Amino acid sequence: MSDKITLRYTVTTEDFTRAGEASGDVKRKLKKMNVSPAAIRKVAIAMYEGEINMVIHANGGEITVEITQNDITMTLADHGPGMQDVEKCMQAGYSTAPDNIRSLGFGAGMGLPNMKKNSDEMTIETKPGVGTTVVMKVLIES
């Protein structure tokens, strides 16, 4: 593998028909690169959850994935309202999703907890009224 591979994706707000395309594409590419199944699973889950959050809450955004020999870093930068209380948002079951989104089977309040659980490192930078950037890193086992 070369030093670093960078992939970029655009996530569109409220487009549930395309939600998950970016995480699916990354999963396929990691399989072709013979990345360990455990790392692929973590990346696919963490990125999918983030992608869905961008569709539901954040007016879409951009995802950048950087793949090196040692790790996979996913940066999800959205255009949303930002989080008023990150600690509260990290609580399993807490959700700000409206009823119409919940009726579709989304918005159970497990997105951020699942992102953290499936990342080896995760940081959240948020500014109310401006947006949120989540950076997740998954280590590739040797």
Side-chain angles (χ1 to χ4, degrees):
M1 181 185 330
S2 63
D3 289 340
K4 179 170 62 171
I5 296 170
T6 302
L7 307 170
R8 289 185 171 77
Y9 303 91
T10 298
V11 178
T12 308
T13 187
E14 296 182 14
D15 187 354
F16 289 98
T17 59
R18 295 189 59 215
E21 282 185 2
S23 52
D25 186 63
V26 171
K27 181 179 177 180
R28 284 186 295 279
K29 287 179 172 150
L30 292 175
K31 281 183 180 180
K32 286 182 182 177
M33 297 168 152
N34 294 317
V35 171
S36 73
I40 292 172
R41 180 180 181 280
K42 288 169 71 172
V43 167
I45 292 169
M47 191 167 154
Y48 176 79
E49 292 285 8
E51 199 173 345
I52 291 297
N53 278 354
M54 292 172 87
V55 169
I56 294 172
H57 302 287
N59 302 321
E62 290 77 37
I63 300 174
T64 303
V65 179
E66 294 179 332
I67 305 164
T68 69
Q69 290 183 328
N70 300 317
D71 56 54
I72 301 148
T73 302
M74 300 154 280
T75 303
L76 291 75
D78 70 43
H79 313 297
M83 293 182 226
Q84 297 295 326
D85 185 341
V86 174
E87 195 172 308
K88 194 171 194 177
C89 291
M90 289 298 297
Q91 293 175 6
Y94 176 79
S95 178
T96 59
D99 289 340
N100 66 315
I101 300 298
R102 291 175 194 238
S103 71
L104 297 172
F106 299 101
M110 294 306 297
L112 285 170
N114 281 338
M115 290 162 69
K116 184 165 182 61
K117 177 182 169 187
N118 286 284
S119 301
D120 294 302
E121 296 175 25
M122 182 170 125
T123 60
I124 299 173
E125 290 183 24
T126 188
K127 187 170 182 183
V130 176
T132 300
T133 299
V134 177
V135 179
M136 299 177 287
K137 183 178 284 191
V138 172
L139 302 176
I140 297 175
E141 303 86 24
S142 47

